[in-house]
């Protein structure tokens, strides 16, 4: 568990103006309020809100959000009152804690898919301040990380299913892709243990050659292209177990038939370079029939342009490659708006900037859910 000074230091690290006294007060208050309560793991209950706060410091969130995370279960699970929270931590933190408490109450009501859909709308509508939602998502993420401590299998499954149906999609909608992936991985492991085991085993086999396969293939691609004097930026990623499984289910194919477990993107200066690069790649590695798409000569309806192909790399591993120019790349990214995981953004970004982007995304969803709920009322 993070110690008090460690947590405070983390916040001061990215926000020197953070209210240190507020964080210290919240830490001590929460520790005393939760007292001797225990988690299923046997850890003191208090370790949970602190870990949730820790997760949020990775996102460089402001002092009020961190204090909210530390206090988020005090109203629901201890004798602490909203008045006390207001008096000790101010109106903003009290409102945020109240928001998280309300979300937890609605959460307890879900029963079926339909209820889940309603819950999703409510979650969005009620999170007038996106920080409420961020605390709730971090809360769920930590509960998923510690799910294996819960003794009853039915309870574990229920929580995992709810995470898959509600929280992972919510994380995705507001652009928190790392949260989404980790939630899906943990829930998948719980819901489909055999499939999870077999996919991770195969992923491990892929990596047996040693080292980081993604970066080895990336350098190979870069080298091939540089020999033809094409300076390329190569990006690579590996699908996570749940999205591999979903793809296998959707397309009724085996792990070996999947071509995009590893996907790469080559960003090259000109359209001509795109076609030259494609030729080089197809000469070097055999292409997978039926997977080549020329969205440069025939763009998608939304204007998307790129060359797509799949090739058989060493050891029969199929890899997917997209080739595009920087302009095409910017357009494609603009289309996906929140694609970038903001954790990976430059350090010069202030936490407020991160919130700004998320806030914009949420406003859209709030309007949407307000409309939907308005119709019901
Ligand atoms: Mn909690």
């Amino acid at each position: 568990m993070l110690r008090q000074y460690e947590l405070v230091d983390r916040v001061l690290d990215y926000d020197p103006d953070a209210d240190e006294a507020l964080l210290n007060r919240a830490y001590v208050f929460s520790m005393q309020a939760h007292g001797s309560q225990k988690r299923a793991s046997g850890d003191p209950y208090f370790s949970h809100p602190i870990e949730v706060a820790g997760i949020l410091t990775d996102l460089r969130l402001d002092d009020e959000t961190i204090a909210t995370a530390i206090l988020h279960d005090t109203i629901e699970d201890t004798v602490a009152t909203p008045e006390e929270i207001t008096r000790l931590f101010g109106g903003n933190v009290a409102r945020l804690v109240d928001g998280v408490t309300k979300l937890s109450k609605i959460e307890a009501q879900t029963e079926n898919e339909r209820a889940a859909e309603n819950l999703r709308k409510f979650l969005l509508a009620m999170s007038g301040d996106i920080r409420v939602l961020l605390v709730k998502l971090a809360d769920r993420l930590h509960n998923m990380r510690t799910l294996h401590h819960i003794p009853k299998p039915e309870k574990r499954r229920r929580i995992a299913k709810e995470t898959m149906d509600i929280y992972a999609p919510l994380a995705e909608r507001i652009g928190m892709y790392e949260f989404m992936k980790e939630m899906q991985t943990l829930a998948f492991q719980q819901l489909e243990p055999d499939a999870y085991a077999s996919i991770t085993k195969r992923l491990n086999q892929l990596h047996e050659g040693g080292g980081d396969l993604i970066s080895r293939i990336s350098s190979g691609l870069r080298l091939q292209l540089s020999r033809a004097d094409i300076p390329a930026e190569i990006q690579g990623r590996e699908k996570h177990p749940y999205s591999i499984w979903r793809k296998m289910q959707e397309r009724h194919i085996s792990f070996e038939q999947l071509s995009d477990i590893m996907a790469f993107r080559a960003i090259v200066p000109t359209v001509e370079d795109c076609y030259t690069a494609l030729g080089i790649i197809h000469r070097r590695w055999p292409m997978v029939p039926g997977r080549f798409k020329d969205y440069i000569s025939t763009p998608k309806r939304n204007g998307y342009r790129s060359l797509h192909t799949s090739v058989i790399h060493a050891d029969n591993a199929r890899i997917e490659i997209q080739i595009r120019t920087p302009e095409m790349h910017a357009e494609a990214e603009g289309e996906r708006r929140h694609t970038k995981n903001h954790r990976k953004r430059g350090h010069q970004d202030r936490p407020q900037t991160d919130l700004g982007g998320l806030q914009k995304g949420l406003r859209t969803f709030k309007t949407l859910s307000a409309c939907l709920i308005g119709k019901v009322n």
Side-chain angles (χ1 to χ4, degrees), residues 128-334:
D129 187 328
I130 191 161
R131 295 178 297 176
V132 171
L133 194 54
L134 296 179
V135 174
K136 192 63 214 167
L137 289 172
D139 174 41
R140 176 52 63 127
L141 181 59
H142 183 251
N143 285 335
M144 287 303 295
R145 284 180 184 171
T146 51
L147 187 65
H148 57 279
H149 291 299
I150 290 179
K152 279 193 188 160
E154 316 84 70
K155 188 174 179 193
R156 286 201 304 266
R157 286 187 64 85
R158 181 181 59 72
I159 295 172
K161 187 159 187 326
E162 197 180 68
T163 301
M164 203 61 116
D165 292 345
I166 298 164
Y167 292 94
L170 264 177
E172 182 179 21
R173 283 205 211 172
I174 62 168
M176 316 267 297
Y177 292 104
E178 294 302 312
F179 271 42
M180 176 199 76
K181 278 188 222 164
E182 192 178 345
M183 284 179 181
Q184 286 177 338
T185 303
L186 292 163
F188 175 46
Q189 186 175 7
Q190 190 58 235
L191 296 170
E192 302 285 345
D194 295 342
Y196 175 82
S198 101
I199 287 172
T200 40
K201 191 176 151 208
R202 281 152 190 246
L203 281 176
N204 290 337
Q205 282 166 354
L206 267 186
H207 291 276
E208 256 164 15
D212 179 355
L213 194 56
I214 296 286
S215 61
R216 267 195 296 144
I217 296 179
S218 297
S219 354
L221 278 169
R222 202 174 294 111
L223 182 70
Q224 293 292 328
L225 298 181
S226 73
R227 281 184 185 150
D229 284 325
I230 300 177
E233 183 198 332
I234 308 285
Q235 303 172 343
R237 62 120 182 97
E238 184 175 286
K239 263 192 189 311
H240 65 292
Y242 175 66
S243 67
I244 292 176
W245 184 74
R246 201 167 46 184
K247 199 77 171 257
M248 286 166 63
Q249 298 291 105
E250 270 168 18
R251 299 180 41 204
H252 305 286
I253 53 176
S254 69
F255 186 89
E256 284 70 24
Q257 287 171 301
L258 270 185
S259 358
D260 59 349
I261 288 171
M262 282 175 287
F264 297 85
R265 198 173 276 154
I267 301 171
V268 298
T270 65
V271 171
E272 194 164 43
D273 291 332
C274 289
Y275 288 102
T276 311
L278 178 75
I280 291 167
I281 290 165
H282 280 181
R283 267 198 311 247
R284 176 67 183 76
W285 296 285
M287 70 178 278
V288 179
R291 299 286 302 172
F292 170 64
K293 302 265 162 47
D294 186 343
Y295 294 121
I296 293 179
S297 100
T298 315
K300 284 193 187 179
R301 279 162 80 182
N302 63 5
Y304 175 85
R305 293 177 301 155
S306 278
L307 300 176
H308 288 192
T309 189
S310 292
V311 298
I312 300 169
H313 199 262
D315 308 323
N316 276 334
R318 294 177 176 203
I319 62 171
E320 182 182 88
I321 304 172
Q322 301 175 348
I323 308 163
R324 50 171 78 154
T325 64
E327 296 77 54
M328 297 174 194
H329 184 59
E331 283 166 20
E333 291 294 292

Side-chain angles (χ1 to χ4, degrees), residues 45 48 72-73 139:
Y45 191 91
H48 162 68
H72 82 269
D73 279 329
D139 174 41

Side-chain angles (χ1 to χ4, degrees), residues 48-178:
H48 162 68
I50 296 309
E51 294 300 332
V52 174
I55 291 172
L56 293 170
T57 60
D58 287 341
L59 302 179
R60 304 157 60 86
L61 293 178
D62 69 311
D63 44 12
E64 288 178 349
T65 310
I66 303 302
T68 302
I70 299 172
L71 299 167
H72 82 269
D73 279 329
T74 55
I75 299 290
E76 188 82 338
D77 296 338
T78 80
V79 295
T81 63
E83 293 70 35
E84 244 178 316
I85 303 285
T86 311
R87 184 161 46 81
L88 290 165
F89 307 101
N92 287 343
V93 172
R95 255 190 309 281
L96 291 168
V97 173
D98 181 55
V100 180
T101 308
K102 279 189 181 137
L103 288 191
S104 307
K105 281 185 185 154
I106 305 178
E107 174 185 65
Q109 302 168 350
T110 57
E111 266 165 25
N112 50 41
E113 291 294 330
R114 215 180 128 77
E117 184 51 41
N118 285 334
L119 175 61
R120 213 166 19 231
K121 285 173 199 158
F122 271 114
L123 282 169
L124 286 166
M126 287 192 53
S127 312
D129 187 328
I130 191 161
R131 295 178 297 176
V132 171
L133 194 54
L134 296 179
V135 174
K136 192 63 214 167
L137 289 172
D139 174 41
R140 176 52 63 127
L141 181 59
H142 183 251
N143 285 335
M144 287 303 295
R145 284 180 184 171
T146 51
L147 187 65
H148 57 279
H149 291 299
I150 290 179
K152 279 193 188 160
E154 316 84 70
K155 188 174 179 193
R156 286 201 304 266
R157 286 187 64 85
R158 181 181 59 72
I159 295 172
K161 187 159 187 326
E162 197 180 68
T163 301
M164 203 61 116
D165 292 345
I166 298 164
Y167 292 94
L170 264 177
E172 182 179 21
R173 283 205 211 172
I174 62 168
M176 316 267 297
Y177 292 104
E178 294 302 312

